[in-house]
Amino acid sequence: MDEKKVLLSGIQPSGDLTLGSYLGAIKNWAELADQFDCYYFMADMHTITVRQNPADLRRHTLEQLAQYIACGLDPEKNTLFIQSHVHQHAELGWVLQCYTMFGELSRMTQFKDKSAKNADNINGGLFAYPSLMAADILLYQPDFVPVGQDQKQHVELTRDVANRFNSIYGNVFKVPEPYIPKVGARVMSLASPTSKMSKSDTDPNGCVYLKDDNDTIMRKFRRAVTDCDAEVRFDRENKPGVSNLMEIYSACTGKSFEEIQKDFDGKGYGDFKTAVGEAVISAIGPIRDEAQRILKDKAYLEGVYHAGAEKAAYIANKTLRKVYKKIGFVQR
Ligand code: TYM
């Protein structure tokens, strides 16, 4: 029998998970377990590149694990783990920093955005973050890395670093492909639809959280910024608010933009916004309730992250040993 292809992705527990991370990432992961050998982790080491309250970081990490499971990631079929539990990430991260160029890191959009937002804390970790992300990925030799559009640049840098390393030492790393969904790859803020919906959004109305109750979700959609011509039509450039709502609706219901346009022809934005709110509530309401139930079972969650770390460390260690040998470290 052919070996399954490998797939890996992670999310930072830097805040409550959003509809953006759900539609751009997790929603698409649940269906892949039968086809691929899947690794998903809480990227807590990445999270501290921006100052965190320790209690919040711990809470967000466990909530995120409960949400992964509630979204359909069965721990029996997927390897779910916490990044800091697998020390090989930090070790390979250091090695790969030495194979990533200053110029490459300087060009990363996320670094530019985050250093503008955190001008008082532009630390070395924030700058070197993509080398750690390359290590996260390359340790598991994955074929695909499912991410939203904003992470494509980091996956491309990972490919460059892997190719550079392989060209010096032979075929050490598999060079993975980004795997980006057709709809939902870039969910925008409901309050300012030209910027990305983000966990760290300062305007809570722009961002729908997986934890939000149904009334809050509906209120946020009813208030969503649109435009004044009252026509439900996809045009990212001139109608960013309506186009974003159409994309969310399409990702939640499976309907095409043409179908949506037809369904809401002649109806106002009010009806459309309510329909989007209802579609989102049916998509994420059950996840919220299930995550709350799972979160109460601390022993179960502990069992999941222990088993996940053990399996992940076994694979990660194989790659790290190979790397250490290739670069000339004396074996212990
Ligand atoms: P993070 O935590 O910012 O986001 C997690 C995932 O959600 C996607 N995403 C979105 N997709 C569509 N619309 C949005 N508004 C939206 N917001 C977030 C992101 O593209 C991502 O797929 N560096 C990564 C975490 C990471 C990682 C890795 C990912 C660390 N190591 C290794 C893959 C492989 C990050 O900050 O994602």
Side-chain angles (χ1 to χ4, degrees):
M1 204 178 83
D2 283 348
E3 287 218 343
K4 277 185 179 175
K5 291 200 185 258
V6 178
L7 199 143
L8 167 132
S9 198
I11 299 186
Q12 294 191 58
S14 51
D16 293 324
L17 281 184
T18 70
L19 182 65
S21 28
Y22 175 67
L23 295 179
I26 317 173
K27 175 176 181 282
N28 316 295
W29 302 349
E31 300 139 20
L32 301 167
D34 291 327
Q35 216 180 325
F36 298 94
D37 185 12
C38 301
Y39 295 80
Y40 301 112
F41 62 98
M42 308 345 111
D44 56 348
M45 292 166 67
H46 285 270
T47 305
I48 60 162
T49 54
V50 173
R51 204 65 78 226
Q52 300 293 318
N53 172 309
D56 287 345
L57 177 57
R58 243 185 312 273
R59 179 172 57 80
H60 286 140
T61 305
L62 293 176
E63 280 178 0
Q64 193 172 306
L65 176 60
Q67 284 166 329
Y68 276 6
I69 301 169
C71 286
L73 299 181
D74 178 352
E76 300 291 325
K77 294 190 184 164
N78 300 273
T79 305
L80 308 179
F81 66 99
I82 297 173
Q83 184 187 24
S84 62
H85 289 181
V86 183
H87 58 79
Q88 289 82 358
H89 288 245
E91 291 181 67
L92 185 63
W94 170 251
V95 173
L96 295 185
Q97 266 188 59
C98 304
Y99 294 81
T100 316
M101 299 303 133
F102 183 87
E104 287 174 320
L105 293 171
S106 313
R107 282 193 291 277
M108 293 294 111
T109 316
Q110 184 169 315
F111 171 68
K112 291 189 210 161
D113 288 353
K114 287 206 171 168
S115 40
K117 275 191 199 149
N118 302 282
D120 54 343
N121 185 23
I122 307 177
N123 58 70
L126 192 63
F127 187 66
Y129 174 117
S131 303
L132 179 60
M133 179 156 162
D136 299 337
I137 296 171
L138 298 176
L139 278 173
Y140 301 90
Q141 310 281 359
D143 298 273
F144 299 107
V145 183
V147 284
Q149 189 66 38
D150 62 317
Q151 293 298 320
K152 189 168 175 236
Q153 196 184 31
H154 288 159
V155 180
E156 276 162 2
L157 179 62
T158 300
R159 289 168 55 84
D160 292 343
V161 172
N163 280 322
R164 179 172 304 138
F165 197 93
N166 287 348
S167 71
I168 307 172
Y169 302 105
N171 260 347
V172 177
F173 295 125
K174 184 170 268 176
V175 182
E177 302 277 344
Y179 187 95
I180 295 172
K182 290 201 176 63
V183 281
R186 193 163 166 76
V187 178
M188 310 307 273
S189 157
L190 302 186
S192 59
T194 48
S195 41
K196 190 186 81 159
M197 183 182 285
S198 154
K199 296 189 266 294
S200 48
D201 209 329
T202 42
D203 182 350
N205 289 317
C207 190
V208 176
Y209 298 100
L210 293 194
K211 275 169 81 172
D212 281 346
D213 61 47
N214 293 351
D215 289 348
T216 308
I217 297 173
M218 191 50 94
R219 183 171 40 78
K220 287 179 179 176
F221 278 101
R222 288 226 173 95
R223 278 195 190 169
V225 168
T226 45
D227 51 54
C228 47
D229 80 1
E231 190 192 356
V232 177
R233 178 169 52 82
F234 193 83
D235 178 348
R236 256 286 181 222
E237 191 116 326
N238 301 307
K239 295 166 74 70
V242 173
S243 303
N244 187 39
L245 293 178
M246 285 179 77
E247 190 149 354
I248 293 172
Y249 191 64
S250 167
C252 291
T253 59
K255 289 193 178 178
S256 68
F257 294 151
E258 291 74 40
E259 284 175 275
I260 300 171
Q261 226 156 285
K262 223 158 83 207
D263 288 354
F264 292 92
D265 188 28
K267 296 186 183 152
Y269 285 157
D271 284 357
F272 180 51
K273 287 179 181 180
T274 305
V276 183
E278 281 165 356
V280 169
I281 289 170
S282 3
I284 67 174
I287 295 173
R288 173 196 59 225
D289 300 343
E290 178 64 359
Q292 276 167 6
R293 190 190 66 73
I294 297 170
L295 197 58
K296 289 192 187 119
D297 194 345
K298 295 282 180 258
Y300 169 71
L301 283 178
E302 236 177 81
V304 169
Y305 67 66
H306 276 159
E310 200 164 315
K311 164 133 193 255
Y314 175 76
I315 306 291
N317 206 41
K318 279 210 230 175
T319 304
L320 187 69
R321 290 297 125 213
K322 201 161 161 190
V323 167
Y324 276 8
K325 199 166 160 199
K326 290 281 186 189
I327 58 181
F329 288 174
V330 173
Q331 284 185 280
R332 209 166 65 166

